[in-house]
Amino acid sequence: MANNLPQLILVVGSGGREHALVRSLLASPARPRVLCAPGNAGIAQDVPCFPVAADDVGALVALAQREKVDFVVVGPEVPLSLGLVDELMKAGIPAYGPKADGALLEASKIFTKKILLKYKIPTAPAGFFSAVAPALAYLRTRSIPIVVKADGLAAGKGVVVAQTLAEAEAAVRGMLEGGKFGASGSQLLIEDCLAGEETSLLVVVSGRDYVMLPVAQDHKRVGDGDTGPNTGGMGAYSPAEVVTPALLDRIEREIVRPSVNAIADEGIDFRGTLFIGLMLTPAGPSVIEYNTRFGDPETQVVLPRLQTDLLALLWAAARGGLAGLKLEVKPDYAVCVVIAAKGYPEAYPKGDVITFPPASSLPPQAFIYHAGTARNSAGQTVTNGGRVLGVTALAPTLRAAADQAYAVCEQIQCASKYYRRDIGARQLHRT
Ligand code: AMP
Ligand code: GLY
C-alpha cells in the first residue's frame, strides 16, 4: 500500500453524505480506488457501485471479501448498529465506524442519556419510561414545552417537541401504545426542552484520541424560517461562527473530551465519527444527542473544507494512530442546499427526470452531491428519494458561497424540485 494508505476502499451507503465521502476519498493524494454499495446515480458516475443494500451485513462482508477491499468506510447508522464493523473485523477487513457497542450511542437515546448523566456531561434532565401511566405522571411534574423521544432509531422522526401538555401526552401514548415506532418506541425518554441555537460537531474518534472537524449548522425544518416538520436536514453551512474560538474551547473541555473519555471508560473502543448535536443554551453548551456517523448534510459542507487528506484521517482513526494528527482546514465558507422532492418529509413523487447544468457552467468550487437519485430504463437521472441532491459551494464569504449554491440550484431542472431559500440566513443576518 503506497504511503501505507489503503488502495481499494468500499464506501457503504447511498446518500449525499456518501457521495461526499466518495469524492473526498477520491481526492486523496494516495489516489485510491473507491467502490460503493449501494450508491446512487451520481456516485455511480464517479465510482463502481454494487447493488448490495446498506443493511445487508452478510452481503456487504461478502462483497468486501470478493473485491479484496482493504478498507471499508461505513456511512449510515443502521449497518453500524447491526454490527457491520464487528463482522468486517472478524473477517480481517479494517473499517471506519464504531462496532455495535459504539453504535448504541445513537441507536439508544436512553443508553446515551445514562452515560451523559453518569459522567456529568451537560445535557437536559430526563426520565425513562416503558409504561404510559408513570410517563404521564412525570409529564405533569415538568414544564412545557417538553420533549418526548422514542428510545431507538427512527430516522430522525422519533422526537416530539411538545408545545402543550396534550401534545406531549399524545406523543407518549402514540409511542408506547400506538406502536408508531415499533420496537424503537417501546421505551421513551421525556426530556426538558432546551432553548438556543443548535450546532453539529463531528469528531473523528479513535479510542481516547480525537480530532474535531469544523463546526456546522444544519437546517432541520422543511420550511423557510425554520417552519414545518423536522426532516433529515435541508441544508447546512460551515463554519458556524456562533461557535467562537472561546466557545469551542469550552465545548471541547466540557463536552468533547469528557464524552470521548466516558465512552472509553465504558469499555467501548470507539473508532469512527462521534457526531455531537449541541444546543447552545444561555447557560452553556448542552448535548442533545450523539450520532455515531457523519451527519447528512453536515458532511457535504465539512469534507470539502478539509485540507487534510480524509483517507489519512479515517485510516489513522481506524488503525489507532490519530494522536498528534493536526487538522488543516480551508478558510473558505461552505453552504449546502438540499434539493428535496416536493412533499418531503411526507409523501413525495419518485421518478421525476432531473436535468443538470453542464459541468463547465458550474462555479469552480461547486459540488452536486447526489442523494435520492437513480437511473431509469432510458438512462436518465431521476428522483428516487425525499432528499434528492445536495448542492455545495465554497467561497471566501458565506454570502458568496450561498449565492453560488443557489445559482446552481436554479439551473437544475426537475418537476418536483423543492428547496429552502434561506440556508445560511441565520449567520448572514448576524454578520
Ligand atoms: P434528535 O433526534 O435527538 O436529534 O432530535 C431531533 C431534534 O429535536 C433536534 O435536532 C432538536 O431540534 C430537537 N430536540 C431534541 N431534544 C431537544 C431538547 N431537549 N430541547 C429542545 N429541542 C430538542
Ligand atoms: N443532519 C442531522 C443528521 O445527520 O442526523
Side-chain angles (χ1 to χ4, degrees):
M1 288 189 253
N3 311 325
N4 293 323
L5 289 175
Q7 286 299 294
L8 184 58
I9 306 158
L10 172 65
V11 173
V12 174
S14 60
R17 163 184 52 211
E18 286 75 20
H19 200 180
L21 284 164
V22 164
R23 287 270 178 93
S24 287
L25 291 169
L26 285 174
S28 166
R31 303 177 60 83
R33 283 201 301 133
V34 179
L35 312 174
C36 188
N40 58 40
I43 297 175
Q45 287 174 350
D46 293 340
V47 300
C49 289
F50 296 82
V52 178
D55 59 0
D56 191 342
V57 170
L60 288 168
V61 175
L63 173 67
Q65 286 175 316
R66 193 177 70 234
E67 296 298 322
K68 300 189 167 48
V69 307
D70 36 36
F71 191 33
V72 179
V73 176
V74 185
E77 61 276 18
V78 170
L80 295 170
S81 65
L82 292 175
L84 174 58
V85 172
D86 309 59
E87 294 306 315
L88 288 166
M89 287 176 74
K90 278 186 211 154
I93 302 168
Y96 179 81
K99 292 182 281 179
D101 60 353
L104 204 53
L105 293 162
E106 173 163 0
S108 169
K109 293 179 191 295
I110 292 179
F111 176 74
T112 287
K113 185 63 88 172
K114 286 182 175 164
I115 291 178
L116 291 167
L117 295 173
K118 176 174 169 185
Y119 291 89
K120 299 191 167 47
I121 297 166
T123 191
F128 313 124
F129 303 96
S130 52
V132 172
L136 296 183
Y138 179 80
L139 275 180
R140 286 185 208 103
T141 68
R142 310 306 295 179
S143 50
I144 302 296
I146 186 103
V147 185
V148 182
K149 297 185 174 184
D151 177 49
L153 292 178
K157 295 173 189 108
V159 175
V160 175
V161 182
Q163 301 298 335
T164 64
L165 183 60
E167 199 188 333
E169 290 176 346
V172 165
R173 290 209 166 87
M175 286 179 200
L176 290 179
E177 291 177 346
K180 208 170 159 191
F181 299 103
S184 295
S186 63
Q187 293 195 78
L188 56 76
L189 290 83
I190 298 176
E191 167 174 318
D192 288 6
C193 191
L194 301 169
E197 271 193 51
E198 279 185 68
T199 57
S200 304
L201 179 56
L202 305 177
V203 187
V204 174
V205 177
S206 182
R208 289 182 193 273
D209 299 319
Y210 63 87
V211 172
M212 297 192 296
L213 302 187
V215 181
Q217 254 181 325
D218 185 11
H219 299 59
K220 295 212 172 181
R221 304 296 192 105
V222 76
D224 286 0
D226 296 329
T227 54
N230 256 328
T231 69
M234 294 300 295
Y237 62 92
S238 176
E241 290 173 334
V242 64
V243 180
T244 60
L247 180 54
L248 188 62
D249 278 350
R250 180 171 177 189
I251 290 169
E252 179 171 14
R253 202 170 56 244
E254 294 182 4
I255 292 177
V256 177
R257 199 174 300 130
S259 294
V260 170
N261 282 331
I263 292 165
D265 287 347
E266 290 296 305
I268 299 170
D269 182 13
F270 194 102
R271 299 178 188 209
T273 307
L274 183 68
F275 165 156
I276 309 183
L278 293 167
M279 189 72 88
L280 306 177
T281 80
S286 184
V287 176
I288 300 177
E289 62 169 348
Y290 293 140
N291 295 313
T292 61
R293 46 156 180 94
F294 283 103
D296 192 336
E298 289 89 337
T299 300
Q300 291 90 304
V301 289
V302 169
L303 295 190
R305 295 191 61 228
L306 297 187
Q307 197 80 60
T308 300
D309 177 14
L310 180 71
L311 177 58
L313 179 67
L314 303 189
W315 181 248
R319 307 304 281 172
L322 207 53
L325 197 142
K326 190 98 187 70
L327 194 72
E328 282 181 75
V329 179
K330 298 175 193 166
D332 289 318
Y333 290 74
V335 170
C336 175
V337 179
V338 169
I339 295 185
K342 210 172 287 168
Y344 173 75
E346 277 105 38
Y348 52 81
K350 283 188 181 179
D352 282 339
V353 174
I354 312 168
T355 46
F356 295 91
S360 57
S361 75
L362 296 180
Q365 292 201 87
F367 307 82
I368 300 176
Y369 296 121
H370 286 230
T373 67
R375 203 159 287 276
N376 67 13
S377 52
Q380 296 162 304
T381 302
V382 295
T383 64
N384 191 42
R387 293 191 291 175
V388 177
L389 301 167
V391 176
T392 296
L394 265 66
T397 65
L398 186 64
R399 166 63 65 197
D403 287 348
Q404 289 180 19
Y406 277 112
V408 175
C409 289
E410 272 160 38
Q411 292 180 68
I412 293 172
Q413 306 301 329
C414 175
S416 52
K417 174 172 99 167
Y418 166 78
Y419 52 92
R420 277 181 64 161
R421 307 280 164 167
D422 63 346
I423 304 304
R426 201 188 277 266
Q427 182 156 312
L428 286 169
H429 293 155
R430 200 171 10 237
T431 50

